[in-house]
Amino acid sequence: MQKNGPVALLFHTLVVSFVLAPLAVICLVAFTPENTLSIPTTSFSLRWFKAIFEHPDFVASFVNSLWLATLAATLSVAISVPAALAIDRYDFPGRNALNALFLSPLIIPHLVLGVAFLRLFALIGATGSFAWLVACHVVVITPYVLRLVMAAFTGLDRSAEQAAMTLGASHWTVFRRVTAPMILPGITGGWLLAFINSFDELTMSIFVTSPQTVTLPVRMYMYATESIDPMMAAVSALMIALTAVAMLVLDRAFGLDKILVGQK
């Protein structure tokens, strides 16, 4: 395998630093003892992390986002696994059209989706419903799950499935005992990626949330329009830490290479 030269290593270092620099600055500002957005130079403080729990609206919005992302990601997996199995294994009329339908939310701006959902909910009288908010997020995040599950199916060695069927196992038993464990990294990665995208979704959620179902990103946006203080950096730092821990656990459990390119 050819190793990267000094120029390539320098280029990669600059790119990674450019991407991570804003996140590092946000995390540093979260520990400032000052009342303004500033990097601490003399001392660090947890005052702005404590301030989050003094705002019950933020805590309630965090719970809303947690439930929303969990339900939406789980439903997306429940939809994507049979859809990926049908698209990957079977040749039927409308197969390409079905695949394009599932992936179409990737090419539609979330602003357009938000306005469309708002109009739809106004027509059917579903404005403010948490269930319909979950449905909106399922539409947006299902393409991410579908792509990872399809990648897992593509990289799957079917000899174990064929051996199980030869021994008399039913299709459901083969899927439950053989196929599902082999594609578990793809399913888990798709669920986590869907969870993160749902938890962080802002543009569409602004249009379809109600005062009772405000998510954390929407709450942050509403707060930032009134005042900007280091508490926003503290909330952002917690979200960054949550995402980083989830990715670390996933990498230790399955390996991100297997999740992103499919099980080999």
Side-chain angles (χ1 to χ4, degrees), residues 66-82 134 137-138 141-142 145 149 187-188 190-196 198:
L66 195 62
W67 277 108
L68 173 63
T70 301
L71 292 173
T74 303
L75 289 174
S76 294
V77 168
I79 295 172
S80 298
V81 171
V134 172
H137 277 241
V138 169
I141 64 179
T142 295
V145 185
V149 175
I187 295 176
T188 307
W191 187 93
L192 182 60
L193 186 60
F195 179 90
I196 293 172
S198 176

Side-chain angles (χ1 to χ4, degrees), residues 32-36 38 42 47-48 230:
T32 183
E34 306 296 333
N35 294 324
T36 58
S38 59
T42 57
R47 60 173 294 195
W48 295 111

Side-chain angles (χ1 to χ4, degrees), residues 21-132:
L23 303 181
V25 171
I26 287 294
C27 292
L28 286 175
V29 171
F31 292 94
T32 183
E34 306 296 333
N35 294 324
T36 58
L37 294 172
S38 59
I39 297 178
T41 55
T42 57
S43 62
F44 293 87
S45 174
L46 297 176
R47 60 173 294 195
W48 295 111
F49 290 96
K50 296 178 181 178
I52 298 174
F53 299 96
E54 297 173 359
H55 290 72
D57 290 342
F58 274 90
V59 178
S61 296
F62 173 78
V63 174
N64 286 339
S65 290
L66 195 62
W67 277 108
L68 173 63
T70 301
L71 292 173
T74 303
L75 289 174
S76 294
V77 168
I79 295 172
S80 298
V81 171
L85 179 62
I87 294 173
D88 181 74
R89 297 284 179 86
Y90 302 99
D91 188 9
F92 54 90
R95 174 173 173 267
N96 293 331
L98 181 63
N99 188 28
L101 177 64
F102 276 111
L103 299 180
S104 59
L106 291 176
I107 62 175
I108 302 176
H110 287 194
L111 176 63
V112 176
L113 285 174
V115 174
F117 284 134
L118 177 62
R119 178 59 178 165
L120 173 64
F121 294 162
L123 289 175
I124 64 177
T127 304
S129 171
F130 185 77
W132 284 104

